[in-house]
Amino acid sequence: MEQLIDTFSRKFYYLRLSVTDVCNFRCTYCLPNGYQPDSNQSNKSFLTLPEIRRVSRAFAELGTEKIRLTGGEPTMRRDFCDIIAAVHENPQIKKIAVTTNGYRMERDVTRWKEAGLTALNVSVDSLDPRQFYAITGQDKFFQIMRGIDAALEAGFSTVKVNAVLMKNINDTSLPAFLDWIKHRPIQLRFIELMETGEGSEHFRRYHLSGDVIRTRLLQQGWQLQQRERSDGPAQVFRHADYQGEIGLIMPYEKNFCQSCNRLRVSAIGNLHLCLFGEQGIPLRDLLFDDASLNDLKLRIQGGLRHKRETHFLHQGDSGITPNLSFIGG
C-alpha cells in the first residue's frame, strides 16, 4: 500500500476531516462572538457527501488508518450519519472518530455507532455548570453529561473529554476532574490554549503550560504511556488507582512537531499540512467524480513536499488560522 511520507520522513496515518465551519457554541477561546461566516468564502459550500466519500477513499488508499470528523460542530450536519457511513466504506480506516461539543450525543450517539463511529472526543472545559456556561455560552452542561453516559451505554469502551487549559479559570480543577474519572473509562485531555489570529489577547491573559499539570501527575504516581502510530499528539498518563486516563496536548513544547502524523482537510476541500500553516492546497476540483482519484492522490502526495518541519507558534505565528473552528482544530 502507498504511504504518505514527508521530506522529514514522518509518516501520516491520521486525517482530520472538517465537514462544516458552523458551530452553535460561543467558546471564549474559539468563537466568543459565535459563528460568523467568512465573507471571503460566502460562495463556497461545504463538502458534499460524495466529495467526502472520495476524499476519504483517497486518503485510505494512501495509508490513512484513522479519520476524525471535525468542524465547527460536525454533528450539526443533517447527513452526519451518512458521512460516518461513507468513511466506514473504506476497510483501511480502522478508526472513525468525531470531535463534538456533545449537544446531540444524548439523542444520536447510538445511531452514530451503528453507522460506524468508533471513537468520541467531547469538549467539557469545566465540571462546574456555571463556569461551563461562562466558557461556552450554552447552558447545556447536564445535557452533555447525559450524552457521555449515553455513549458508554451504547458500547463505546472509552470517551475522550477535551478541556482547554486556562489560567485562573480551570487550572485549579484537576482534583475535581481526577475524582470524576476515578471510576469512569474517560480519557481527560488538557489542551494548552493556542494563539490564533483572532485570539491573541485571550491567549496572553490565559495561556498556561501543560507542564504544570504534568508535574502534578508525576508527583502523584501517574505513568506516561507509549503512543500508537495513529494516535493524536496527546501524552497519555495512567494510574493504577484510576479507571480513567489523563492526556496532555502541549503544542508549545520543544519537538512537539517531531512526531506529527496527521493532515487536515477543511470543510471547503483544502488540504492543510498544519493547523497553523499557510494557505491550503485545493483538492475540490478533483472531487467531482471517481475518475480523478489518481490525480487526487498525486496532489495530496505532492503537497507533502511543502510541509514544514515545525509550526512557529512559539514566535507568535499562527499562520492563516483565525480561530480553532477554521480547519477543525
Side-chain angles (χ1 to χ4, degrees), residues 205-246:
R205 289 184 63 187
Y206 297 113
H207 177 261
L208 181 69
S209 171
D211 192 52
V212 173
I213 301 294
R214 181 169 57 190
T215 299
R216 295 179 199 169
L217 293 175
L218 293 173
Q219 289 172 345
Q220 295 173 23
W222 290 76
Q223 300 291 319
L224 181 64
Q225 305 300 301
Q226 291 291 322
R227 291 177 60 205
E228 300 294 331
R229 69 183 189 181
S230 65
D231 283 348
Q235 300 175 33
V236 177
F237 296 81
R238 292 179 185 162
H239 193 291
D241 296 337
Y242 288 79
Q243 186 177 1
E245 302 173 332
I246 296 289

Side-chain angles (χ1 to χ4, degrees), residues 174-313:
L174 182 60
F177 276 117
L178 290 179
D179 286 345
W180 185 52
I181 68 169
K182 190 172 181 66
H183 302 294
R184 292 180 176 89
I186 288 173
Q187 184 186 109
L188 174 68
R189 297 141 59 87
F190 285 105
I191 304 172
E192 280 187 350
L193 183 64
M194 291 171 270
E195 186 172 7
T196 61
E198 297 173 356
S200 294
E201 177 59 29
H202 192 82
F203 174 82
R204 284 191 289 271
R205 289 184 63 187
Y206 297 113
H207 177 261
L208 181 69
S209 171
D211 192 52
V212 173
I213 301 294
R214 181 169 57 190
T215 299
R216 295 179 199 169
L217 293 175
L218 293 173
Q219 289 172 345
Q220 295 173 23
W222 290 76
Q223 300 291 319
L224 181 64
Q225 305 300 301
Q226 291 291 322
R227 291 177 60 205
E228 300 294 331
R229 69 183 189 181
S230 65
D231 283 348
Q235 300 175 33
V236 177
F237 296 81
R238 292 179 185 162
H239 193 291
D241 296 337
Y242 288 79
Q243 186 177 1
E245 302 173 332
I246 296 289
L248 296 176
I249 298 178
M250 302 166 59
Y252 289 88
E253 188 166 58
K254 185 179 180 181
N255 298 326
F256 176 79
C257 299
Q258 195 171 65
S259 60
C260 184
N261 63 351
R262 57 206 170 277
L263 298 169
R264 292 170 167 82
V265 171
S266 72
I268 58 171
N270 291 334
L271 171 64
H272 291 268
L273 306 175
C274 177
L275 175 59
F276 297 103
E278 300 303 327
Q279 197 67 39
I281 299 166
L283 302 180
R284 203 161 194 179
D285 59 305
L286 298 176
L287 296 177
F288 59 90
D289 63 29
D290 295 338
S292 300
L293 180 64
N294 285 334
D295 289 337
L296 174 61
K297 289 160 62 176
L298 287 171
R299 186 173 296 176
I300 294 167
Q301 290 172 312
L304 275 177
R305 293 197 300 267
H306 305 289
K307 184 168 173 63
R308 301 186 299 189
E309 185 175 14
T310 181
H311 62 58
F312 294 96
L313 281 177

Side-chain angles (χ1 to χ4, degrees), residues 121-124 148 159-163 180 186-189:
N121 285 48
V122 189
S123 297
V124 182
I148 292 172
V159 174
K160 294 180 179 179
V161 171
N162 295 341
W180 185 52
I186 288 173
Q187 184 186 109
L188 174 68
R189 297 141 59 87

Side-chain angles (χ1 to χ4, degrees), residues 164-181:
V164 174
L165 184 62
M166 291 176 282
K167 182 169 56 180
N168 299 325
I169 295 181
N170 62 3
D171 59 310
T172 60
S173 301
L174 182 60
F177 276 117
L178 290 179
D179 286 345
W180 185 52
I181 68 169

Side-chain angles (χ1 to χ4, degrees), residues 17-265:
L17 175 58
S18 180
V19 297
T20 182
D21 290 347
V22 180
C23 187
N24 58 329
F25 278 31
R26 301 190 303 275
C27 297
T28 56
Y29 52 81
C30 185
L31 293 173
N33 299 316
Y35 171 70
Q36 307 289 331
D38 187 340
S39 59
N40 296 322
Q41 298 178 357
S42 58
N43 62 336
K44 295 183 180 179
S45 60
F46 299 132
L47 290 170
T48 66
L49 183 61
E51 289 173 326
I52 290 169
R53 179 175 283 111
R54 292 182 186 111
V55 76
S56 62
R57 179 182 171 189
F59 274 91
E61 293 187 7
L62 290 170
T64 298
E65 298 176 352
K66 173 181 175 181
I67 292 182
R68 176 174 299 282
L69 302 171
T70 69
E73 174 48 45
T75 68
M76 292 187 72
R77 283 194 55 152
R78 294 180 180 179
D79 59 351
F80 184 63
C81 278
D82 295 327
I83 290 172
I84 297 170
V87 176
H88 187 56
E89 292 171 5
N90 301 289
Q92 305 95 323
I93 304 300
K94 300 174 183 177
K95 180 178 285 189
I96 304 171
V98 64
T99 295
T100 175
N101 60 33
Y103 89 109
R104 282 190 169 156
M105 281 177 54
E106 183 182 14
R107 186 189 74 182
D108 293 338
V109 71
T110 299
R111 293 175 56 229
W112 302 344
K113 191 172 192 302
E114 290 170 350
L117 194 73
T118 62
L120 286 157
N121 285 48
V122 189
S123 297
V124 182
D125 297 302
S126 175
L127 295 177
D128 179 340
R130 292 170 298 179
Q131 190 175 65
F132 180 91
Y133 174 78
I135 294 171
T136 66
Q138 292 284 353
D139 187 17
K140 296 184 183 295
F141 173 79
F142 294 105
Q143 178 180 330
I144 291 165
M145 291 295 105
R146 292 193 301 270
I148 292 172
D149 289 339
L152 296 173
E153 291 169 6
F156 287 92
S157 59
T158 187
V159 174
K160 294 180 179 179
V161 171
N162 295 341
V164 174
L165 184 62
M166 291 176 282
K167 182 169 56 180
N168 299 325
I169 295 181
N170 62 3
D171 59 310
T172 60
S173 301
L174 182 60
F177 276 117
L178 290 179
D179 286 345
W180 185 52
I181 68 169
K182 190 172 181 66
H183 302 294
R184 292 180 176 89
I186 288 173
Q187 184 186 109
L188 174 68
R189 297 141 59 87
F190 285 105
I191 304 172
E192 280 187 350
L193 183 64
M194 291 171 270
E195 186 172 7
T196 61
E198 297 173 356
S200 294
E201 177 59 29
H202 192 82
F203 174 82
R204 284 191 289 271
R205 289 184 63 187
Y206 297 113
H207 177 261
L208 181 69
S209 171
D211 192 52
V212 173
I213 301 294
R214 181 169 57 190
T215 299
R216 295 179 199 169
L217 293 175
L218 293 173
Q219 289 172 345
Q220 295 173 23
W222 290 76
Q223 300 291 319
L224 181 64
Q225 305 300 301
Q226 291 291 322
R227 291 177 60 205
E228 300 294 331
R229 69 183 189 181
S230 65
D231 283 348
Q235 300 175 33
V236 177
F237 296 81
R238 292 179 185 162
H239 193 291
D241 296 337
Y242 288 79
Q243 186 177 1
E245 302 173 332
I246 296 289
L248 296 176
I249 298 178
M250 302 166 59
Y252 289 88
E253 188 166 58
K254 185 179 180 181
N255 298 326
F256 176 79
C257 299
Q258 195 171 65
S259 60
C260 184
N261 63 351
R262 57 206 170 277
L263 298 169
R264 292 170 167 82
V265 171

